[in-house]
Amino acid sequence: SAVISQKPSRDICQRGTSLTIQCQVDSQVTMMFWYRQQPGQSLTLIATANQGSEATYESGFVIDKFPISRPNLTFSTLTVSNMSPEDSSIYLCSVEDPTGYGYTFGSGTRLTVV
Amino acid sequence: GENVEQHPSTLSVQEGDSAVIKCTYSDSASNYFPWYKQELGKRPQLIIDIRSNVGEKKDQRIAVTLNKTAKHFSLHITETQPEDSAVYFCAASSGMEYGNKLVFGAGTILRVKS
């Protein structure tokens, strides 16, 4: 199955600042997905990132707050902008495995905003 | 869009007993239904999945059943072991037209008592 390297694994940030999370996949994939998992909750899709086009955002998420880059078929970044304590969460990237083995997740980024 | 409901939210079983978790989905176009296991502090791991052209799939102690007419699917774990204790998530995907994105259920905390 695809292997995803996600970093940073965790960070503590000051409110009002921004954090960029990176995901690198060991194979080429058409779409990459970014999820948020708040403490004790399920996974909520933030956006879908296609290479060469703008990301598609889910209801409740906007590009100004969560800008995404997708410069090639193996890499994507998610930025959490102008952070507030409510942004404290785990952020995960995911890809549909090109071998057909379902969807694989990165190890997640645990973000704490103080 | 798709909506996935999952029950129960918590489930306690005695070691060796069976556990069943049920999910319903709303979009009849959904055609892929994975189950994920998430241990504390770790990424979700795919444990089994089923596609809409199959009614049942089994992998050792784990099985998934799908009823397309009723739009529900279930995870069955037999001979439960303490290491099965985790949070389990069901999900549904509507395929390429919707960007292959997964919509997750709220999760079930499974506790296996030894």
Side-chain angles (χ1 to χ4, degrees):
Chain A
S1 61
V3 176
I4 304 175
S5 298
Q6 182 173 345
K7 57 182 181 182
S9 57
R10 59 178 62 228
D11 207 341
I12 301 173
C13 300
Q14 296 291 323
R15 67 177 67 201
T17 63
S18 297
L19 176 71
T20 296
I21 302 166
Q22 301 180 6
C23 275
Q24 178 77 49
V25 190
D26 67 346
S27 52
Q28 294 185 340
V29 293
T30 304
M31 287 176 285
M32 294 181 73
F33 305 91
W34 288 96
Y35 288 86
R36 181 175 73 184
Q37 186 174 30
Q38 295 180 306
Q41 302 295 313
S42 185
L43 293 91
T44 301
L45 183 65
I46 298 171
T48 302
N50 282 324
Q51 192 266 337
S53 63
E54 281 199 5
T56 302
Y57 289 81
E58 298 298 307
S59 176
F61 298 96
V62 295
I63 188 171
D64 289 347
K65 177 66 176 178
F66 297 101
I68 286 172
S69 77
R70 184 79 200 277
N72 56 54
L73 292 174
T74 63
F75 186 79
S76 180
T77 68
L78 169 77
T79 298
V80 186
S81 303
N82 188 25
M83 289 183 286
S84 67
E86 292 72 35
D87 295 319
S88 297
S89 189
I90 297 173
Y91 294 85
L92 301 110
C93 60
S94 176
V95 301
E96 185 176 11
D97 198 294
T99 65
Y101 187 67
Y103 294 72
T104 301
F105 284 86
S107 54
T109 297
R110 182 179 295 272
L111 170 63
T112 302
V113 183
V114 297
Chain B
E2 177 65 276
N3 182 52
V4 178
E5 294 190 357
Q6 183 172 346
H7 300 280
S9 56
T10 60
L11 179 60
S12 292
V13 300
Q14 203 66 36
E15 182 178 0
D17 288 350
S18 296
V20 180
I21 304 170
K22 299 181 179 180
C23 288
T24 60
Y25 61 98
S26 61
D27 188 350
S28 57
S30 290
N31 57 14
Y32 174 66
F33 308 93
W35 286 89
Y36 285 85
K37 175 183 181 181
Q38 188 175 32
E39 297 175 326
L40 190 63
K42 297 189 176 181
R43 76 187 81 189
Q45 294 278 8
L46 178 69
I47 57 171
I48 196 167
D49 58 8
I50 192 168
R51 297 190 183 272
S52 58
N53 58 346
V54 176
E56 184 174 358
K57 184 177 178 181
K58 189 173 182 180
D59 182 3
Q60 299 182 358
R61 297 187 296 110
I62 295 172
V64 56
T65 59
L66 171 65
N67 183 326
K68 287 177 57 180
T69 303
K71 290 191 282 188
H72 67 70
F73 56 112
S74 300
L75 176 71
H76 304 254
I77 306 174
T78 59
E79 301 173 23
T80 53
Q81 302 167 3
E83 51 265 39
D84 294 328
S85 296
V87 181
Y88 291 81
F89 294 99
C90 64
S93 171
S94 297
M96 284 294 291
E97 182 179 355
Y98 299 95
N100 280 4
K101 63 183 182 182
L102 289 178
V103 177
F104 284 83
T108 296
I109 300 171
L110 174 64
R111 297 190 182 96
V112 180
K113 297 174 287 186
S114 57

